[in-house]
């Protein structure tokens, strides 16, 4: 398992956007990762491409490998849905409530990527399970624009 600590502190993807926003001088954003200030930033997300995998196959992605910085943990569980919510809110799964690819909400089992009933991607649950109620925290982007 890669070491995802920095100065003795566990670093997760929940710290990435607040640190980027801090570098853009957004008030109240914590620069936990100590990123440099910038006028513009781009966050590139390659789903499923972790630090360890990139290191093992650096020859297939030399440019991305050259950009690899400090390691971060995806948090738990390390699913796309949970990680996207962590990136967007700056919170871990136990805080933002998106606790997996699929999970129970009341009597429904929600597929958090498609916001549909698990096993039935055609059954849209947005009316029954309002996204802003299931995950009620404002995103970092909403907070930054405010």
């Amino acid at each position: 398992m890669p070491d995802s600590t920095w100065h003795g502190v566990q670093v997760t993807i929940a710290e990435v956007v607040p640190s980027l926003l801090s570098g853009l001088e957004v008030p109240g954003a914590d620069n936990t990762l100590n990123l440099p200030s910038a006028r513009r930033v781009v966050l590139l997300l390659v789903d499923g491409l972790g630090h360890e995998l990139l290191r093992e196959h650096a020859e297939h992605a030399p440019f991305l490998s050259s950009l690899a910085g400090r390691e971060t943990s995806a948090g738990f569980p390390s699913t796309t849905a949970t990680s996207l919510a962590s990136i967007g809110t700056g919170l871990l799964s136990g805080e933002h409530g998106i606790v997996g690819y699929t999970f129970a909400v009341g009597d429904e089992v929600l597929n958090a990527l498609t916001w549909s009933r698990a096993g039935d991607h055609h059954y849209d649950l947005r009316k029954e399970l309002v996204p802003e109620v299931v995950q009620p925290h404002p995103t970092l982007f909403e907070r930054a624009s405010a």
Side-chain angles (χ1 to χ4, degrees):
M1 185 101 197
D3 180 21
S4 58
T5 60
W6 188 59
H7 294 285
V9 176
Q10 179 72 28
V11 179
T12 70
I13 59 173
E15 278 90 39
V16 172
V17 173
S19 293
L20 290 172
L21 292 174
S22 177
L24 293 170
E25 299 182 6
V26 173
D30 292 329
N31 193 355
T32 307
L33 300 179
N34 198 29
L35 298 178
S37 294
R39 289 186 37 205
R40 295 183 180 105
V41 296
V42 174
L43 173 60
L44 173 65
L45 172 74
V46 181
D47 191 18
L49 181 60
H51 194 87
E52 202 170 307
L53 189 60
L54 183 58
R55 184 176 41 228
E56 287 175 23
H57 301 283
E59 71 278 4
H60 297 294
F63 179 71
L64 284 179
S65 296
S66 74
L67 299 175
R70 55 183 90 80
E71 298 175 22
T72 58
S73 169
F76 181 82
S78 60
T79 67
T80 300
T82 301
S83 296
L84 288 173
S86 291
I87 289 169
T89 63
L91 303 170
L92 297 175
S93 63
E95 299 169 305
H96 60 59
I98 305 299
V99 294
Y101 173 69
T102 59
F103 56 95
V105 180
D107 294 334
E108 292 288 354
V109 178
L110 173 67
N111 176 323
L113 287 180
T114 60
W115 220 263
S116 62
R117 183 175 284 155
D120 183 359
H121 297 319
H122 300 290
Y123 192 90
D124 187 342
L125 286 171
R126 287 179 292 176
K127 289 188 177 156
E128 290 95 338
L129 300 175
V130 177
E132 293 82 3
V133 173
V134 174
Q135 193 298 105
H137 302 283
T139 68
L140 291 164
F141 308 106
E142 290 169 330
R143 289 186 277 174
S145 68

